[in-house]
Amino acid sequence: MTTPFPFTAVVGQDDLRLALLLNAVSPAVGGVLVRGEKGTAKSTAVRALSALLPEVPVVPGCRFSCDPAAPDPGCPDGPHEAGGGAERPARMVELPVGASEDRLVGALDIERALSEGVKAFEPGLLADAHRGILYVDEVNLLHDHLVDLLLDAAAMGASYVEREGVSVRHAARFLLVGTMNPEEGELRPQLLDRFGLTVEVAASREPDQRVEVVKRRLAYDDHPAAFAARWAEEETAVRARIVAARELLPSVRLGDGALRQIAATCAAFEVDGMRADIVMARTATALAAWAGRTDVLAEDVRQAALLALPHRRRRNPFDAPGLDEDKLDETLEEFGGSDDDDPDQDPDPGPDGPGGGGGQPEPDDAPQGDGDTAARPEAGEGGQPQPSGAGEQSAVRASEPFRTKVLSVPGIGEGAAGRRSRARTEHGRTTGARRPRGALTKLHLAATVQAAAPHQRARGRSGPGLVVRRDDLRQATREGREGNLVLFVVDASGSMAARQRMSAVKGAVLSLLLDAYQRRDKVGLVTFRGTDADVALPPTSSVDAAAARLETLPTGGRTPLAAGLLRAHDVLRVERLRDPARRPLVVLVTDGRATGGPEPVALAGRAARLFAADGVASVVVDCESGPVRLGLAGQLAGELGGTAVTLDELRADSIAGLVKDVQRRAA
């Protein structure tokens, strides 16, 4: 058995260690989400925690870890008589990102259930994690259907397996701990809120601390047992402190003053729902018990807020997690004081810092105009026309995002589960049946009975039961939704550089990125301007990374449209080798103009026809503005074999799109 790295030997990462210890003291806190860059001891600290947890009393022989003092009356291995029992170490069960549904919740032997009428159930990881730790490394990469099962089990404290009228239920109460690297994508809001606490970790920039990290790691790798023995005394002390804090926890008093601070803090930061208030209360109580106190102090409430609120105040995936500590201190001071303080007493307002008010407007940039070399110059914000061929201009802010129309890939795919295009998936509506390839996961009962019925006499059936054999079983085929690779190809040339237009373009792309986040897509970003195209972001699940690149995108110069299309085609070619099942959707954001080099329009047309030849789905977002429009984006969409939409038509509630649809039908 591998010797785990000692928890007390982890260098730094004080918030991470505190959050894990608070959950060890009070599992009702609700778990920990650890966010941070790679190589920051996230997994090491989590795996080391299980060695500190007190042993768990269980019913001997029960596969579901029933408590002998209060056994689960519905346990599949029950019924159990109260009393007796044995103790075993607390488990830490690791859920792999690529785990199947059956591995998570358990599997029923469908063949025995149909032919013998017995519930032959093999427990899954949720049963193993009951009364222990369920650890999900890279939790942000977990498949959606597994996330749904985790949410249900965490909310109800039980796991349900339903298969064609046969059901099994067992208790599943566990400490949920997840780690993730935000660069690889964000979590769904429902799962994000399910974690009680969150911690941001980063590698230390102090040379002495980094040296100590390397020394300890090398010593552990050379002699794990000897290294662990050196820290045995500290481990024992922390384990004893956890036990003492658990015993003290019921005696901790959470007064009305602390509750008022908790409620005011959650209201001030506008968190959704009431879970944040409850988690903060439990965390503050656990902090007091960990400190050996029976009263919750303001410092406990403050620390609880820093751990429980950052991930709950985000309004969209592009908001950076975090908490304004000055605002937190002001709120705690305003609603502070003991339970006996006069509630009508005016708080002492803090001094305003010089220039610190949020009401100071940002200075506007200098007027900027359109630098297109193939079209008439457009007026900048200052009203002065800009000469053709203007140089690079500073980035402008995106306009407010909006809800977009659904863009999808035609046909039926077989890619990763998501919410965009039609696909054959393990979950969704049943569309047919086939013979199973490997283990049977989704039984098609009618097709199975139909296959077995003609052979009943030959099989010597004499009773009412149906004689079912392996060859009779049929797997249900289902249709659901898949996630796609949405590759944004954005024109950042001078023809797009008018501030209002580029702000609207960035707002539209930001809206599409938000839609891609909600539909569980991978995204990539290719930009083109000047003389070449650039892969600003290779295909990734991190939609917020694409939003960050978009925000700093400069504009100006010529319009190398062909270079942008060829670079995008190359990105798709490479990605097709890495992930062949994921179908691409190209979103080209441009006004359709092409400049620079010999025959730029013809060259762009030839590049566009490469996408049509490969059958790549594409949408051109037409950004042309002004009273006179050339319609170049529509022509480009025809070359791509795709469709064209204007910025107005991209909105889900677009009145212009509705009017055009009506006019088209009338014609």
Side-chain angles (χ1 to χ4, degrees):
M1 182 176 178
T2 304
T3 302
F5 192 91
F7 186 86
T8 53
V10 175
V11 179
Q13 309 298 10
D14 295 337
D15 288 343
L16 169 59
R17 292 191 293 168
L18 177 61
L20 292 171
L21 289 170
L22 292 177
N23 276 273
V25 171
S26 176
V29 166
V32 187
L33 174 64
V34 187
R35 299 165 45 95
E37 59 195 31
K38 50 189 174 292
T40 50
K42 300 188 298 292
S43 301
T44 299
V46 174
R47 292 189 174 97
L49 175 67
S50 60
L52 296 178
L53 298 181
E55 291 191 334
V56 179
V58 296
V59 174
C62 178
R63 298 174 297 168
F64 301 89
S65 303
C66 280
D67 187 350
D72 181 7
C75 176
D77 284 354
H80 304 299
E81 294 184 2
E87 290 191 343
R88 63 160 174 77
R91 290 176 181 161
M92 192 200 74
V93 177
E94 188 163 352
L95 173 61
V97 169
S100 66
E101 178 181 339
D102 285 346
R103 185 71 188 97
L104 178 62
V105 301
L108 286 171
D109 189 332
I110 301 297
E111 186 173 0
R112 289 190 63 193
L114 285 175
S115 59
E116 303 175 26
V118 298
K119 296 180 181 179
F121 181 69
E122 184 65 29
L125 295 177
L126 290 180
D128 293 340
H130 179 47
R131 305 176 66 201
I133 302 173
L134 181 62
Y135 171 50
V136 189
D137 195 13
E138 306 295 348
V139 64
N140 51 323
L141 304 182
L142 199 63
H143 290 298
D144 272 0
H145 68 284
L146 297 183
V147 169
D148 293 335
L149 293 170
L150 272 181
L151 289 174
D152 289 342
M156 297 184 293
S159 175
Y160 293 84
V161 182
E162 303 281 349
R163 294 285 173 81
E164 304 296 343
V166 180
S167 64
V168 173
R169 172 215 167 271
H170 64 83
R173 292 183 296 274
F174 47 81
L175 170 60
L176 182 61
V177 180
T179 58
M180 60 174 284
N181 185 346
E183 294 177 356
E184 297 173 338
E186 283 293 343
L187 274 180
R188 285 172 53 185
Q190 296 92 330
L191 184 57
L192 193 64
D193 185 57
R194 186 63 62 183
F195 286 97
L197 310 179
T198 186
V199 177
E200 294 280 336
V201 297
S204 172
R205 298 298 183 258
E206 293 293 331
D208 292 342
Q209 195 172 72
R210 295 175 73 96
V211 167
E212 186 61 26
V213 170
V214 174
K215 284 183 177 180
R216 294 187 186 182
R217 186 69 211 189
L218 293 178
Y220 171 77
D221 290 341
D222 289 341
H223 301 287
F227 182 81
R230 285 166 44 194
W231 293 89
E233 185 176 345
E234 288 83 351
E235 294 281 287
T236 301
V238 172
R239 190 179 299 110
R241 188 175 175 185
I242 292 174
V243 173
R246 283 188 173 186
E247 294 175 351
L248 182 63
L249 188 64
S251 303
V252 175
R253 175 177 173 269
L254 183 63
D256 289 344
L259 279 172
R260 193 161 49 247
Q261 286 184 315
I262 290 171
T265 301
C266 292
F269 286 100
E270 300 180 350
V271 296
D272 296 331
M274 294 297 298
R275 182 174 284 120
D277 303 64
I278 296 170
V279 170
M280 273 190 65
R282 289 171 173 166
T283 304
T285 304
L287 280 161
W290 178 249
R293 290 184 270 101
T294 56
D295 285 310
V296 174
L297 305 180
E299 62 194 62
D300 300 323
V301 176
R302 186 182 193 279
Q303 183 65 57
L306 293 175
L307 293 172
L309 296 187
H311 61 301
R312 291 188 166 89
R313 57 168 296 276
R314 302 183 72 190
R315 289 293 175 262
N316 62 62
F318 312 132
D319 293 337
L323 216 60
D324 185 343
E325 295 194 31
D326 291 337
K327 181 178 179 180
L328 173 61
D329 291 335
E330 290 174 4
T331 304
L332 293 176
E333 183 179 354
E334 179 180 355
F335 292 89
S338 66
D339 297 342
D340 299 328
D341 284 348
D342 181 2
D344 296 328
Q345 183 179 356
D346 292 334
D348 181 20
D352 294 330
Q360 296 294 332
E362 295 183 0
D364 196 9
D365 294 331
Q368 297 181 23
D370 191 340
D372 184 32
T373 58
R376 56 174 176 75
E378 296 183 328
E381 284 191 330
Q384 298 298 322
Q386 298 296 314
S388 175
E392 180 179 310
Q393 303 175 27
S394 61
V396 299
R397 290 183 177 272
S399 62
E400 284 297 317
F402 51 84
R403 188 165 63 90
T404 66
K405 289 184 176 179
V406 179
L407 307 178
S408 61
V409 178
I412 301 180
E414 296 182 348
R419 292 184 174 81
R420 184 171 296 278
S421 305
R422 295 172 57 198
R424 298 182 184 91
T425 62
E426 287 295 319
H427 301 270
R429 64 185 181 90
T430 300
T431 58
R434 59 171 174 81
R435 291 182 181 273
R437 306 185 189 106
L440 178 71
T441 55
K442 299 293 182 182
L443 177 75
H444 195 295
L445 182 58
T448 299
V449 172
Q450 187 176 12
H455 309 290
Q456 296 306 295
R457 180 175 297 179
R459 294 173 183 174
R461 191 186 83 175
S462 57
L466 190 68
V467 180
V468 179
R469 294 180 179 173
R470 176 69 186 175
D471 291 342
D472 301 326
L473 299 179
R474 294 295 182 268
Q475 175 86 20
T477 57
R478 305 195 174 199
E479 183 178 307
R481 294 281 171 176
E482 67 177 358
N484 298 108
L485 166 61
V486 182
L487 182 62
F488 293 93
V489 186
V490 180
D491 183 352
S493 64
S495 66
M496 304 280 288
R499 287 182 62 85
Q500 289 184 348
R501 185 194 303 182
M502 198 61 200
S503 177
V505 167
K506 285 188 175 183
V509 177
L510 197 64
S511 304
L512 290 167
L513 283 170
L514 182 59
D515 182 69
Y517 165 78
Q518 294 168 341
R519 299 185 187 280
R520 311 301 288 171
D521 295 316
K522 290 180 69 174
V523 297
L525 179 62
V526 174
T527 63
F528 58 93
R529 65 184 181 88
T531 60
D532 202 3
D534 178 52
V535 181
L537 184 71
T540 177
S541 297
S542 181
V543 175
D544 52 340
R549 303 291 172 87
L550 179 72
E551 191 70 24
T552 59
L553 178 66
T555 57
R558 296 181 179 271
T559 312
L561 178 57
L565 291 171
L566 291 174
R567 183 61 60 90
H569 188 268
D570 189 55
V571 169
L572 293 183
R573 178 184 60 80
V574 174
E575 192 63 20
R576 195 176 294 118
L577 298 175
R578 294 175 178 168
D579 193 356
R582 190 180 291 267
R583 297 187 295 164
L585 173 64
V586 173
V587 179
L588 175 60
V589 185
T590 182
D591 56 10
R593 301 174 185 178
T595 60
E599 299 184 345
V601 177
L603 187 60
R606 289 197 295 271
R609 288 190 287 274
L610 293 175
F611 292 85
D614 290 343
V616 175
S618 58
V619 175
V620 178
V621 180
D622 184 359
C623 302
E624 192 174 24
S625 62
V628 179
R629 304 199 179 198
L630 304 178
L632 298 176
Q635 298 175 21
L636 184 61
E639 299 278 6
L640 286 165
T643 58
V645 296
T646 65
L647 289 174
D648 287 337
E649 292 171 338
L650 191 61
R651 294 178 178 270
D653 54 353
S654 170
I655 299 299
L658 178 62
V659 172
K660 289 186 177 181
D661 286 344
V662 172
Q663 291 175 340
R664 191 178 299 114
R665 292 192 187 100

